[in-house]
Amino acid sequence: MTRTAIVTGAARGIGAAVAKKLATDGHAVAVLDLDESACGATIDAITSAGGRALAVGANVGDEASVTAAVERVANELGDPTILINNAGITRDNLLFKMTVDDWDAVMNVHLRGAFLMSRAVQKHMVEAKFGRIVNLSSTSALGNRGQVNYAAAKAGMQGFTKTLALELGKFGVTANAIAPGFIETEMTAATAERMGVGFEDFKKAAASQIPVNRVGQPEDIAATASFLASEGAGFVSGQVIYVAGGPKD
Ligand SMILES: NC(=O)c1ccc[n+]([C@@H]2O[C@H](COP(=O)([O-])OP(=O)(O)OC[C@H]3O[C@@H](n4cnc5c(N)ncnc54)[C@H](O)[C@@H]3O)[C@@H](O)[C@H]2O)c1
């Protein structure tokens, strides 16, 4: 069945791959990112393959921006019943050097953003008696040096997900989290640069620690999101799926 999906942070990286995959699955897709014009490449890829997409500029951490964005999607694309909370940033530093701004910025995008988006979209899902919410967590939720803010936010995403599953299940809405390991995107490229390591060497070192012997690609996450958003995944809810090329706790 064709539905309307919103993918946040879909101008590039994992969000772009998820948006393209959901469009291939037959859904109309709202490609949401901070800057509407940055969504062009994702929109072109979807429409040139025969899909339906709408570029939406919005800041997921801002209540008014989220309300306006979700209303626009409902009016122009249809009631959203699939939501992928993917928008994210890193502001890495060791605890003793971390600023309050670094802490707040990460909390605002991941946790406040997922909360505001889910709250705005749930009414469409409850009315439709169908919904699929997929939240991007991370293996960093298990703890990662230099990421006290990000690890806390990504662990928070897991508690948030399980609670959505408990509250919304009776309305036909599932909520699950994907916790990726190392995925090759601009986010991990920026991490390599910050650490003064070439991206190829950085990826090689990461791959050597991963059981399937490679780093992940955005399409690896898109395939999992596609499953969790599908009709057939209706009995899977409140789960955290580690997509990391090997087992995690
Ligand atoms: N790349 C990885 O290895 C990895 C691993 C685990 C989890 N993740 C998570 O997956 C998600 C996507 O990561 P990515 O690697 O594709 O990152 P990315 O930096 O390539 O893309 C993130 C996108 O989110 C957008 N964004 C940031 N703040 C926003 C806001 N306030 N409102 C709307 N959009 C906003 C950015 O503009 C960007 O287009 C993030 O939540 C990230 O934490 C990534």
Side-chain angles (χ1 to χ4, degrees):
M1 186 170 168
T2 298
R3 303 200 179 264
T4 297
I6 301 179
V7 184
T8 70
R12 68 184 203 193
I14 292 170
V18 172
K20 288 183 236 174
K21 175 68 176 144
L22 292 178
T24 306
D25 291 345
H27 306 300
V29 181
V31 175
L32 185 151
D33 213 292
L34 279 172
D35 178 3
E36 184 171 325
S37 64
C39 300
T42 311
I43 297 285
D44 288 349
I46 291 173
T47 51
S48 64
R52 215 168 138 226
L54 174 73
V56 181
N59 175 359
V60 297
D62 181 88
E63 187 177 12
S65 177
V66 165
T67 305
V70 172
E71 263 174 36
R72 195 178 151 213
V73 173
N75 290 335
E76 294 184 33
L77 219 51
D79 288 317
T81 53
I82 297 171
L83 171 64
I84 316 293
N85 283 311
N86 166 82
I89 59 167
T90 54
R91 292 286 183 274
D92 297 353
N93 229 327
L94 294 173
L95 173 66
F96 79 104
K97 287 196 279 191
M98 186 165 289
T99 66
V100 170
D101 282 350
D102 288 339
W103 176 269
D104 287 346
V106 167
M107 293 302 152
N108 276 339
V109 179
H110 298 272
L111 286 178
R112 194 174 214 264
F115 156 63
L116 290 173
M117 287 299 305
S118 303
R119 195 184 61 174
V121 167
Q122 57 79 31
K123 106 172 146 62
H124 300 277
M125 295 179 167
V126 169
E127 274 167 19
K129 297 194 170 53
F130 176 94
R132 299 280 184 264
I133 300 174
V134 178
N135 297 318
L136 268 289
S137 179
S138 167
T139 52
S140 293
L142 302 168
N144 198 23
R145 190 179 158 81
Q147 289 197 313
V148 73
N149 50 357
Y150 186 82
K154 291 308 199 184
M157 290 295 265
Q158 298 190 7
F160 177 69
T161 301
K162 288 170 200 252
T163 304
L164 291 182
L166 292 172
E167 291 188 13
L168 298 175
K170 65 173 173 233
F171 304 108
V173 180
T174 66
N176 292 285
I178 299 174
F182 188 115
I183 309 295
E184 184 174 347
T185 68
E186 288 181 52
M187 182 180 273
T188 39
T191 305
E193 199 176 331
R194 211 167 36 245
M195 292 170 76
V197 187
F199 196 32
E200 289 310 312
D201 289 340
F202 194 60
K203 283 189 290 180
K204 216 185 235 174
S208 73
Q209 304 298 313
I210 298 172
V212 300
N213 205 32
R214 67 171 177 89
V215 299
Q217 297 299 323
E219 290 72 25
D220 291 312
I221 306 306
T224 310
S226 165
F227 164 67
L228 291 172
S230 70
E231 309 280 325
F235 208 52
V236 182
S237 196
Q239 300 304 301
V240 179
I241 303 187
Y242 283 88
V243 182
K248 298 280 170 186
D249 284 336

